[in-house]
Structure formats: C-alpha cells, structure tokens
Amino acid sequence: MWVVFGFALFASMVLLTQSEFGPILISRPVVLGPLLGATVGHAESGLALGALLEWIWADRVPAGGLRTPAVGVGTAAGLLALWTQVEAARPAAGEFSLAVAVALLYLLLFVPLDGGLRRLWSLAAENVLTALRRGSLAELRIFGPVALGLRILVVALGLTTVVWAADGLRWLVHSTGTGPALAAIPWAFVVPAALAGLVWRNPPRGRISLLLAAFALGWSLTWFR
Amino acid sequence: MVSLNLPLPVRARAWLALLLLQATWSYRRLQSLGWIAVVRPAAQWADPVRSGALLGKLAIHFNTHPLLAPLLMGAALSELHPGRDPDETAEAMNRRLVRWMGTFGAIGDMLYWRALQWNLAWLAVVAWIVAGVPGVAFLAGLWFSAEVVGRITLFEIGLRRPDDIAVLTQRLAGHSLRLRLQQLALVGTCLAGGFAFGTLREFGPAGTLPELVGLLGAGLGLWLAVRTRLRSAVLWLPVLLAMLVHLLEWGG
C-alpha cells in the first residue's frame, strides 16, 4: 500500500502542474500516460488510455471559472487500476475496459470534490487577504506552503483509493457477469469521433483531405511498430 | 526618482513565486495572493519599513492568464522605486494591471489552451512513435523547461522594458500566429489520432461485429456531440451500444 501511495504522491505532483505550478501542460493525458505508465510497466497502455481521454474535451477552455474534466487524474487513476489488477504488460480487452471505467469514475468525481476543497482554501485565502490589508505578512508566509502541501496530500490520498475502487468494480463485473460485455467495447472508435468533433467545432482553413491523410498516415504507422 | 535595479536573489524569489501564481491560495480563482507573493521580495528590498503598507494596497484584484502574467507583473514591478510613496507606487502599479489584465487573459486563453496545448499533445504521440518512453520524457522535460524559462523571460522583459508591452501584445494577439499554430495542431492531432486509433484497436475486441458496432456508436456519438455540444457523447454512446449489442447477442 505504501508503494501505491508513493506512486499516487508522484502522480499528484505531476498532475498539479496543471493548476498549482505554472500551469504547465505536461499533465496532459498523452504525456502523462506513457510516463506514469512506464513507472508501473504499462507504458503502451498509458499511451492508449491517455489518447482515449485527450481529445474529447481538448477545446474546452478553463477560463472564467469553468472547470474542465480532470482527464489527467482519470489517466493516473486508470493506470493505478491496471498496475494493481493486471500482471501482463498488455492487458486483455476486459481488463483495459475496467481501467477505463476507473479512469472515468475518478475523472467525474475529481472536479466536484476538488472544487469543494478549493472553496475551503479560498475561505482561508480571504482571511489572509484581510490580514494583508491590515499590514500582516505572517499569514501569507504560512498559507502558501501549507495549502500546496495539503492539496498534494489530499489528491494523493484520493488516488490511493483507486485500489479499492478497482477491486470493487472487478467484484461487480464478476458478480453481474458483465465481463464479456466489457471486453466487447471497441474503444478505438472514440478517438476518430472525438477528432471529428474537434474539427467540426474548429474548422480548418485548409482542406479536410489533408486531415484525413494525416489520420491515415498515423494509423499506418502502427503497422510498422 | 532612483531607478529600480533588483539584485538577482530578489528577482529569483520573484521567479519562483510567479510560477506559483495560480496555486491553491487563489481566492475564488483570482490570483491576488500569488501576485502579492511575487511583489513581496522586491517591495521588502526597496522599502523594508513601508512594504507591508504597499502590499496591503495591492491586495485587491489580480486575474490574468498565467502564461502572460509574468510580463505584466514585471512591468508593474518596474514602478517600484526605493523611497517612493507607497500610495503612489500602488496607484502606478494598479494602473498598469488594470490596463492589461483583461487583454492578457483573452490572448493567453486562445494561445495557451487552443494552440500550445493541442500542439503538445500530438508532439507527445510523435515522440512516442520515434523514441518511445525516452522520447516522451525528453519532450516533457523540454516543454517544462521552455515554459519555466519562457515565463521568467517574460518577467524580465516586463521589468526592463515595461513600455514595450503594447508592441509585444500586438504581436502575441496577432491573428496569424494563433491561426498557424492551430492549423498545425489540427494536422498533427489527426496524425496522432490515427496512430492512437491503430494502437487502441489492439486493446479492444477483434472481429467485424465489434468494429461495426464501434463505428455506428461513434457516428451516433459524434452526431449527438455536434448537435448538443455534449462532447462526452463520443465516449459513452459507443460503450452503450457495444454493451447493448453484446447483451442482446448473448441473451443478457
């Protein structure tokens, strides 16, 4: 469990470059996926999982208070699930689907839970601002490091619960006999659909045929691995 | 007035603080505390006695895009002069902030989330194709360094040439820069997406029926996503359809 927590802590620090430090874009799923995946022996699965989540919401801009789905958190959660549930480097179809299910669950849960915590921090921040206006700097010196440290810890603890979530989902699948149904999900088609949606919302200036050719070229590169 | 010449240790503390601009200490998603943390080392160096008063007057409102914020913060800090009255300093700093915060927010959002982010994603897949995990790690390290150094550079430019902000803003806001980055990103994204599609097929079921179901589900999901802006439809519709077909096929 400590090893799992260590992974979750490392993942949290990378994930929080999305919001705490920078932001810096390396917490994107297709970057995070292979890197975190490599640390747990699932680099290719990490890429696959990251690619599945990368482009669905790629043009949602987190501005004006809008929170975007926590795709980085989902990727990390899915990889943790794979690591704790699967021994082989290439998971079977059903195992991959289980990891995706965990990823989606954590992706959905993170925003409201983290949003609630951030409201608590912002109440504390209001007090610090009030103290500043009175000329006191002590609260500012303490609040920053404490808030950052606590947030990393909370996210890490949250990710560690993936172990139990994955176990629970696995039990649910087994007891309801939906394993074969999970194994039948063709995840690959989500990617071209997500890309088509992205292009529809952000029409290119050039020809669509160039985009189709690029897609075909990318697909053909998988035959030469 | 004596001109400001911040020593390196003071500027280095500001560099670290500007990287934490949008940290958990954001108040209702405003970055006021982050801004104060950037000003504090310089304010204490310039006027140790009255720096608290200055910081109190600056703790009002700061909110702009974190990518371009360093440029603005450097320009605002250039108003800090040893011996200057805190009221006057705060007034001058806030004037610069109010003038540019909104503009930088808009430019930053367009450039960062819609251009740079999309380009990093496809570059990561290409890095994987070329060199696997080491390739992605190299790209991540390079990108991380570029973002950090870029922000520090913008801060220094703002600090030393605050009146050039207008010219720089015009260049960054240029339609052609953003458009070129986005067009490049779309082509690269399709390339990366094709590779991802081929890879994901190996993680899913084999056979004609699953492929047809996937195609139909994705098509329906896309239609729904386009009609209703429910982007996630491309994810859950193929899943729903595949599970339904499978359960019907096997009689539940």
Side-chain angles (χ1 to χ4, degrees):
Chain A
M1 187 51 74
W2 283 111
V3 178
V4 170
F5 179 70
F7 173 85
L9 198 62
F10 172 66
S12 311
M13 287 192 283
V14 178
L15 279 167
L16 290 177
T17 56
Q18 176 73 10
S19 57
E20 296 287 338
F21 188 83
I24 298 185
L25 291 168
I26 61 168
S27 60
R28 294 302 302 171
V30 280
V31 181
L32 195 72
L35 292 183
L36 281 185
T39 63
V40 297
H42 287 282
E44 199 180 19
S45 306
L47 177 79
L49 193 55
L52 191 65
L53 298 177
E54 177 68 50
W55 292 296
I56 301 172
W57 298 282
D59 57 340
R60 274 191 87 177
V61 176
L66 180 74
R67 301 292 298 275
T68 52
V71 287
V73 170
T75 306
L79 279 168
L80 247 182
L82 269 179
W83 181 34
T84 54
Q85 302 287 326
V86 174
E87 294 211 3
R90 170 74 63 83
E95 290 165 336
F96 185 74
S97 291
L98 201 66
V100 175
V102 170
L104 292 175
L105 180 68
Y106 276 73
L107 183 160
L108 285 170
L109 288 177
F110 181 79
V111 170
L113 289 178
D114 187 58
L117 284 173
R118 281 196 73 112
R119 285 192 195 283
L120 282 177
W121 303 141
S122 79
L123 285 175
E126 185 172 0
N127 289 330
V128 176
L129 275 171
T130 308
L132 257 174
R133 286 181 201 125
R134 284 196 316 258
S136 169
L137 297 177
E139 290 84 350
L140 177 67
R141 283 194 203 105
I142 298 164
F143 181 60
V146 169
L148 182 61
L150 273 177
R151 186 146 184 255
I152 291 173
L153 198 63
V154 166
V155 174
L157 285 171
L159 275 177
T160 309
T161 63
V162 166
V163 178
W164 297 299
D167 280 342
L169 272 173
R170 204 171 194 177
W171 172 83
L172 191 69
V173 166
H174 183 76
S175 56
T176 55
T178 48
L182 267 185
I185 299 173
W187 294 107
F189 289 89
V190 172
V191 172
L195 292 181
L198 187 67
V199 170
W200 178 277
R201 291 185 295 271
N202 304 275
R205 285 234 155 163
R207 294 180 186 183
I208 297 287
S209 54
L210 179 61
L211 302 183
L212 289 171
F215 185 89
L217 177 62
W219 184 6
S220 66
L221 289 174
T222 56
W223 305 333
F224 299 104
R225 274 177 308 159
Chain B
M1 260 182 296
V2 178
S3 64
L4 183 70
N5 195 10
L6 289 175
L8 184 59
V10 174
R11 294 200 332 268
R13 287 169 63 196
W15 297 344
L16 179 60
L18 68 89
L19 292 168
L20 291 167
L21 176 68
Q22 199 152 280
T24 295
W25 54 13
S26 296
Y27 166 59
R28 297 192 179 185
R29 303 186 66 77
L30 302 182
Q31 303 147 339
S32 306
L33 283 179
W35 162 229
I36 298 300
V38 172
V39 179
R40 185 162 64 102
Q44 286 177 331
W45 172 81
D47 193 342
V49 174
R50 298 185 292 179
S51 60
L54 171 64
L55 294 178
K57 289 177 195 343
L58 293 174
I60 300 168
H61 175 91
F62 187 95
N63 191 35
T64 191
H65 196 278
L67 178 70
L68 299 177
L71 185 61
L72 186 52
M73 290 194 280
L77 273 181
S78 71
E79 296 289 349
L80 193 64
H81 300 285
R84 193 179 188 183
D85 181 62
D87 282 338
E88 210 181 296
T89 306
E91 172 74 30
M93 282 175 141
N94 284 330
R95 225 182 359 253
R96 284 201 188 264
L97 295 182
V98 165
R99 189 173 170 204
W100 293 110
M101 271 193 302
T103 307
F104 279 13
I107 297 171
D109 281 338
M110 287 292 114
L111 263 180
Y112 197 70
W113 303 113
R114 285 179 173 270
L116 292 178
Q117 178 177 262
W118 293 358
N119 279 296
L120 175 62
W122 73 263
L123 281 171
V125 177
V126 168
W128 168 270
I129 294 170
V130 169
V133 171
V136 178
F138 176 75
L139 176 70
L142 197 66
W143 192 279
F144 184 90
S145 308
E147 286 217 39
V148 170
V149 169
R151 283 176 166 88
I152 291 172
T153 306
L154 284 173
F155 177 79
E156 293 291 317
I157 291 172
L159 190 63
R160 295 175 197 290
R161 293 154 45 192
D163 295 326
D164 286 349
I165 276 191
V167 171
L168 281 164
T169 305
Q170 234 177 345
R171 280 194 204 142
L172 289 170
H175 193 58
S176 60
L177 169 68
R178 184 169 43 87
L179 213 59
R180 277 193 210 126
L181 283 173
Q182 279 185 1
Q183 297 306 303
L184 174 67
L186 281 176
V187 176
T189 297
C190 286
L191 177 77
F195 185 82
F197 173 70
T199 304
L200 272 164
R201 284 181 79 207
E202 293 169 22
F203 283 81
T208 313
L209 182 61
E211 303 262 292
L212 283 173
V213 168
L215 200 57
L216 180 65
L220 281 173
L222 175 63
W223 177 82
L224 198 61
V226 157
R227 298 283 298 207
T228 64
R229 303 282 178 174
L230 194 63
R231 289 165 172 83
S232 58
V234 300
L235 180 64
W236 50 263
L237 249 171
V239 172
L240 210 63
L241 203 62
M243 292 187 80
L244 194 65
V245 165
H246 186 83
L247 289 172
L248 285 173
E249 198 181 16
W250 293 97

